[in-house]
Amino acid sequence: MTTTGEDHVPARGGPWWWDRRRGAVLDVSLGAVSALECAAEGIPFARDAGIPTAMGVLFGLLAGSVLVVRRKWPITVVLVALAITPAEMGFLLGVVGLYTLAACELPRRIIGALAGMSFLGTLIVTFVRLRQDMGQDGVDLGEWFFAFAAIGSSLGLTAPPLLLGLYVGQRRRLMESLRERADSLERELQLLAERAEERAEWARGEERTRIAREMHDVVAHRVSLMVVHAAALQAVARKDPEKAVKNAALVGDMGRQALTELREMLGVLRSGGEGARVERAAVPLAAVGVAAAAAASRAAGDGESSSEGPSLSELDELIGQSEAAGMVVALSVEGEGRAYAAEVESTAFRVVQEALTNVHKHAAGAKTYVRLAHRVSEIAMQVENEPPPVASAASSARLPSGGNGLVGMKERVAALGGVFVSGPTDAGGFRVSAVIPAS
């Protein structure tokens, strides 16, 4: 990336007011040449003025050396050039002074006024000097010739340095403006890149959370039921062999379904799709999330794929699985059922599923009430369990808990603009309630 605007400021490597040593060398050289020119022109000036030649030479040296400060005080240089114009001195001083004045960042009215004064001064001196010289030689060419020659000479000494200085100054300011705009654009781009990186990091975090939530929904319910059935199998293995065989078959079926769903999710990490060869390239988190959602849609246990996720029509089967594991579940439905958006039905199903899973984990054997209400503009669900019995065969399962179930339910409901509330009841049980907008 290029440097910023502060880095574009030239480093002050020269003495005094010069930014660079090269500029100091140039100005000192011009000042020396101008001093020598004015010193040479000071000899005839001293003779015409009737003063000692040494004074004329010294005057020329001092006046010409003013060119050294042209960058710091350009107005002073032009005024000195105007002052010595009647003495016919300072040709280089006047030309370079006008150029520097026009190139610097001064108000145009000041540049125009000083340029006009320089033009008039040169015009008057040239006109008077031509008449004197022609009169001494006895040549009479007319006033128009002297005026034309004076105007031409004045324009030749004033216009070229003035126009060149204006051009160079304008170009310099344009380059500085373009540089500042480029620096500003780069700072904006850098800020946008930082914000984009922050948004990408936030999106990655959100995607990781979504994947974790989907995998939790896929695995937690089935594995919880497997553990409950395994505990029941251990309790009745000797007393009721027929029931033990049935429980063992259920555990096997659920385990196979859970493994199938896990393989489908993890397969996304190993290949880009069906028939694609295995690659070691990084797989986007979004692809894993899609696979997780697709696998989660089969958590009801029918083994058929559904790209839109589980629906409320699978609620009876979900409750049947919990009842097969020994849970007493009472389902009540209020209002007339209707079709909702896929994400609404999937979220409602997941809330009930996770709530039942939590009952298996923390209140095994407790009677549970599932209530579903179809309202005009929303759908409400509530899962409430009674206090667990003091001791039961299923309670020995000791199901682990990661503490993410309630958080995932709340995130799902909040993403659809709904309200989620959970907490213990006065009777010692636990209640989970959610209200989701229907549209």
Side-chain angles (χ1 to χ4, degrees):
M1 298 179 71
T2 59
T3 56
T4 59
E6 297 177 354
D7 297 330
H8 283 302
V9 178
R12 297 187 62 87
W16 295 334
W17 58 84
W18 287 284
D19 293 330
R20 293 178 294 181
R21 193 175 300 275
R22 184 175 61 182
V25 172
L26 176 62
D27 289 355
V28 171
S29 300
L30 289 175
V33 174
S34 177
L36 292 176
E37 177 204 350
C38 292
E41 294 169 346
I43 297 175
F45 168 70
R47 184 176 57 252
D48 295 341
I51 59 175
T53 304
M55 291 186 61
V57 172
L58 180 61
F59 176 73
L61 288 173
L62 294 175
S65 62
V66 175
L67 195 58
V68 176
V69 299
R70 69 184 185 93
R71 296 178 191 265
K72 191 170 182 62
W73 296 300
I75 296 178
T76 302
V77 174
V78 175
L79 291 177
V80 171
L82 285 173
I84 63 176
T85 298
E88 298 184 16
M89 299 170 59
F91 170 78
L92 181 63
L93 181 66
V95 172
V96 177
L98 273 179
Y99 164 79
T100 306
L101 179 71
C104 65
E105 297 182 1
L106 286 175
R108 292 298 177 87
R109 62 179 182 275
I110 297 178
I111 297 176
L114 291 175
M117 293 170 60
S118 178
F119 173 78
L120 289 176
T122 306
L123 176 67
I124 294 172
V125 171
T126 303
F127 182 81
V128 173
R129 192 65 179 178
L130 281 175
R131 290 192 60 183
Q132 290 178 352
D133 292 343
M134 292 299 179
Q136 290 177 359
D137 296 338
V139 178
D140 187 10
L141 298 177
E143 297 295 331
W144 65 268
F145 174 79
F146 299 132
F148 179 78
I151 293 173
S153 300
S154 300
L155 285 176
L157 294 175
T158 305
L162 181 66
L163 295 177
L164 181 61
L166 290 174
Y167 168 75
V168 171
Q170 186 65 27
R171 183 175 180 275
R172 184 184 301 158
R173 286 187 286 273
L174 176 61
M175 294 300 295
E176 291 177 355
S177 175
L178 292 176
R179 185 180 297 115
E180 290 177 357
R181 291 176 61 183
D183 295 338
S184 176
L185 178 61
E186 174 147 0
R187 286 191 293 269
E188 291 179 2
L189 290 176
Q190 185 176 2
L191 182 60
L192 289 176
E194 292 175 356
R195 291 180 177 175
E197 185 176 356
E198 292 176 357
R199 287 195 296 268
E201 184 64 29
W202 175 83
R204 285 193 291 269
E206 288 294 315
E207 194 63 28
R208 291 190 188 98
T209 303
R210 190 172 73 91
I211 293 170
R213 187 166 57 240
E214 295 291 348
M215 294 188 70
H216 179 274
D217 292 338
V218 169
V219 178
H221 183 70
R222 291 194 185 279
V223 174
S224 298
L225 292 179
M226 288 172 59
V227 175
V228 171
H229 281 295
L233 175 62
Q234 183 180 5
V236 301
R238 295 182 179 179
K239 299 178 181 179
D240 192 349
E242 184 178 351
K243 187 175 182 180
V245 171
K246 183 179 178 181
N247 286 342
L250 288 174
V251 170
D253 291 341
M254 291 180 182
R256 282 189 293 271
Q257 292 171 3
L259 285 175
T260 300
E261 292 164 356
L262 283 175
R263 286 194 189 100
E264 290 177 357
M265 284 187 293
L266 298 177
V268 179
L269 297 174
R270 299 179 60 86
S271 64
E274 289 189 17
R277 63 183 181 86
V278 176
E279 299 180 356
R280 293 186 179 181
V283 178
L285 291 176
V288 183
V290 171
S297 67
R298 290 185 292 278
D302 57 359
E304 299 178 358
S305 60
S306 173
S307 59
E308 296 182 353
S311 62
L312 292 175
S313 61
E314 304 171 12
L315 199 59
D316 292 334
E317 186 174 357
L318 176 67
I319 293 175
Q321 292 176 353
S322 296
E323 290 177 339
M327 180 187 296
V328 179
V329 183
L331 173 64
S332 62
V333 180
E334 299 177 7
E336 184 178 355
R338 61 183 186 276
Y340 298 95
E343 60 271 15
V344 174
E345 293 208 15
S346 176
T347 300
F349 180 89
R350 293 301 183 198
V351 169
V352 177
Q353 181 188 57
E354 181 59 28
L356 292 177
T357 301
N358 287 341
V359 175
H360 283 296
K361 290 180 179 180
H362 308 290
K367 186 174 182 180
T368 305
Y369 302 92
V370 178
R371 300 180 180 90
L372 188 66
H374 300 278
R375 299 171 183 169
V376 177
S377 59
E378 61 188 16
I379 179 173
M381 64 230 60
Q382 183 182 89
V383 179
E384 180 180 350
N385 63 274
E386 296 179 350
V390 178
S392 66
S395 64
S396 62
R398 299 178 182 177
L399 290 168
S401 176
N404 297 318
L406 294 176
V407 175
M409 284 190 283
K410 185 175 182 179
E411 290 175 350
R412 284 181 178 275
V413 174
L416 298 179
V419 178
F420 177 85
V421 179
S422 63
T425 63
D426 295 336
F430 198 84
R431 181 187 298 118
V432 171
S433 303
V435 178
I436 306 175
S439 57

